Each structure stands twice: as C-alpha cells, then as structure tokens.
Amino acid sequence: MSTSTLPIVRTHVVMGSVASVHVHDDVDPATIETVVAAVFDELDRLESIFSTFRADSEISRINSGRLHHLDASREVIDVMDACVFMESITSGAFSCRRADGSLDPAGFVKGWSVERASRFFVDAGLRHWYLSLGGDMQMGEAPETDGEPHGWKVGIADPNRPGAVATGLLIARGAVATSGTAERGRHIVDPRSGETCDHWSSFTVCGPSLTWADAYATAAFVMGESGLAWVHCFEGYTALGIRPDGTIVTL
C-alpha cells in the first residue's frame, strides 16, 4: 500500500482549456506521476498536430497548401475518415469543414484525444481514474464508496447560470460529453446553413467511448429536437438536452 493522499489530482492547460486528471488507485505515487505526465504529453502532441491556431500544425499546413492531406500523419487521416463518416450518418449536420472549405476537426478531435490519452491509465493497470477536458470526461471504474450509490458523480453545467449545476449523473464508467453554450457561448453552427444553432443550450451524451459521445453530442445539438432520438439509436449511448428556457429533456 502507498502512503499517498487520494485522490491524486493534476491539471494541465491544453487545447484552449484545462485538462484534469483524478486517480484514486492506491499505488506508488511515482507510477501515477509517470502516467499523468504521459497523458498530458500525449494531449500536447495531438494539439500540435490538429490545432488550427498553430501555423506549423498539420491541419494548418494542409489548409495553407503546404501539406497534401494524403501525406499527413496516420492520426490526421484516421480523424478525417471518422469526420467523413460522421458527416454521412448525420446528413451533413456534422462536418469538419468550415464555410470557406478549410479543415477544422475540433468538433471531433477533443473527445478523440482525451480517449486516446486515457489509454495510458489502462496500459499501466490503473482502474479508478478519470480524465476531463473542457467538461468532457473519459472514466475508468468508479472507486468503491461505503453506503453510497456506486459511480462517478458528474455535474452538468447550467448553460443559463454560470457556475451553477443544472443536474447530475451517476456513471459507473465510460464517457460523458457536453456540447453547448456554458463555456463558449453560442458557437455551434449548422454546417448546412451556416446559421448558429439555438434549439438547445446544452446537449449531453453518455456512453462507453468519449470519441463518439463527443461527436454525437455536437451533431445532435445541431439536429435540434430529433437529436435525442438519433443518439439513442446507437447501442450504449443516451442523451440529455437542456433548452434555452432551462427545461431538461430526456427520452
């Protein structure tokens, strides 16, 4: 048994937000610190590849014509393939292309990056952990608690009241992703019309994979009311929407 104080919590600024790691495994603290460093290094590495704010990223070089997309890294090709798939199954409600035709896979990359980085916990044999970035979370097994329901307690930010929580979820393990206005205001645009989406103020998806929960949340936010039923078509995924008037809607 280690003498560390649990949980071990570490944060890191990346991708325009703050990544947060919580580890509840009672193991050698040095092991945890090594894993956390690897997780943050991976997030930094992926940001350097996909950031549209860095002139030397692969995405920026593709957009400027300095790099052909077929000569990009395996990660870029995999993400672009996934974005094309999402555009197909959403009839265009999801797209990695801006109105000017340039690439911006931000609606897919954040969740994908967090899930990819979280594999370092699994590879190290850690069980009780979670990694969050900008409110999106990939979680290992929730730690045991005496006399309490078993699961991570996840608060969903109230998009109409900064700093407040609209509702809470109890998640044994898996992923939670939220798209909405709480952090960045009304920034989600329907790629088919170019108009800002206003049916939802917040849309949350829960499921086993943050890669897909995040992508589904973005697409369903754009879809409006039909987005709830659409998410539930995917096995293991559920959704919760908050309307501008504060009404919470589930199926």
Side-chain angles (χ1 to χ4, degrees):
M1 300 287 285
S2 78
T3 58
S4 62
T5 300
L6 298 177
I8 290 179
V9 180
R10 299 290 182 268
T11 60
H12 181 66
V13 176
V14 65
M15 297 184 181
S17 189
V18 178
S20 178
V21 165
H22 290 238
V23 180
H24 293 251
D25 292 271
D26 193 11
V27 298
D28 179 13
T31 297
I32 295 177
E33 296 296 347
T34 298
V35 174
V36 170
V39 167
F40 290 156
D41 284 347
E42 179 71 351
L43 290 175
D44 285 339
R45 186 183 74 85
L46 295 173
E47 181 180 24
S48 74
I49 293 173
F50 289 98
S51 174
T52 58
F53 299 100
R54 296 187 179 187
D56 61 345
S57 74
E58 290 191 39
I59 294 300
S60 291
R61 286 187 286 140
I62 291 172
N63 284 336
S64 67
R66 290 174 290 150
L67 176 67
H68 193 281
H69 67 276
L70 295 179
D71 294 323
S73 64
R74 181 74 255 177
E75 289 99 334
V76 169
I77 293 173
D78 286 347
V79 165
M80 291 301 103
D81 283 347
C83 288
V84 169
F85 169 74
M86 281 296 302
E87 185 169 0
S88 175
I89 66 172
T90 63
S91 300
F94 183 100
S95 178
C96 66
R97 290 208 176 265
R98 294 170 171 164
D100 63 4
S102 62
L103 293 176
D104 184 3
F108 187 89
V109 163
K110 185 175 70 168
W112 174 84
S113 296
V114 170
E115 182 172 359
R116 186 182 181 94
S118 72
R119 293 172 185 171
F120 286 99
F121 297 116
V122 178
D123 291 345
L126 299 178
R127 295 175 56 200
H128 308 302
W129 54 266
Y130 71 79
L131 171 60
S132 70
L133 178 61
D136 294 346
M137 303 173 64
Q138 185 75 51
M139 297 164 281
E141 296 177 26
E144 298 291 340
T145 53
D146 294 332
E148 295 287 336
H150 183 58
W152 299 104
K153 296 178 180 178
V154 180
I156 304 302
D158 189 329
N160 301 313
R161 294 186 300 154
V165 174
T167 188
L169 303 172
L170 191 67
I171 309 292
R173 66 177 300 162
V176 178
T178 298
S179 291
T181 62
E183 281 200 356
R184 297 173 55 192
R186 293 202 170 277
H187 67 284
I188 301 176
V189 173
D190 187 335
R192 299 165 297 188
S193 66
E195 299 294 326
T196 302
C197 302
D198 59 8
H199 184 86
W200 303 110
S201 287
S202 174
F203 197 94
T204 298
V205 174
C206 303
S209 163
L210 185 56
T211 297
W212 299 110
D214 189 27
Y216 294 163
T218 300
F221 191 100
V222 172
M223 290 177 183
E225 195 71 24
S226 65
L228 278 169
W230 180 81
V231 169
H232 283 79
C233 290
F234 299 96
E235 185 176 358
Y237 291 84
T238 58
L240 175 154
I242 302 178
R243 295 189 177 122
D245 66 1
T247 303
I248 297 173
V249 187
T250 60
L251 285 184

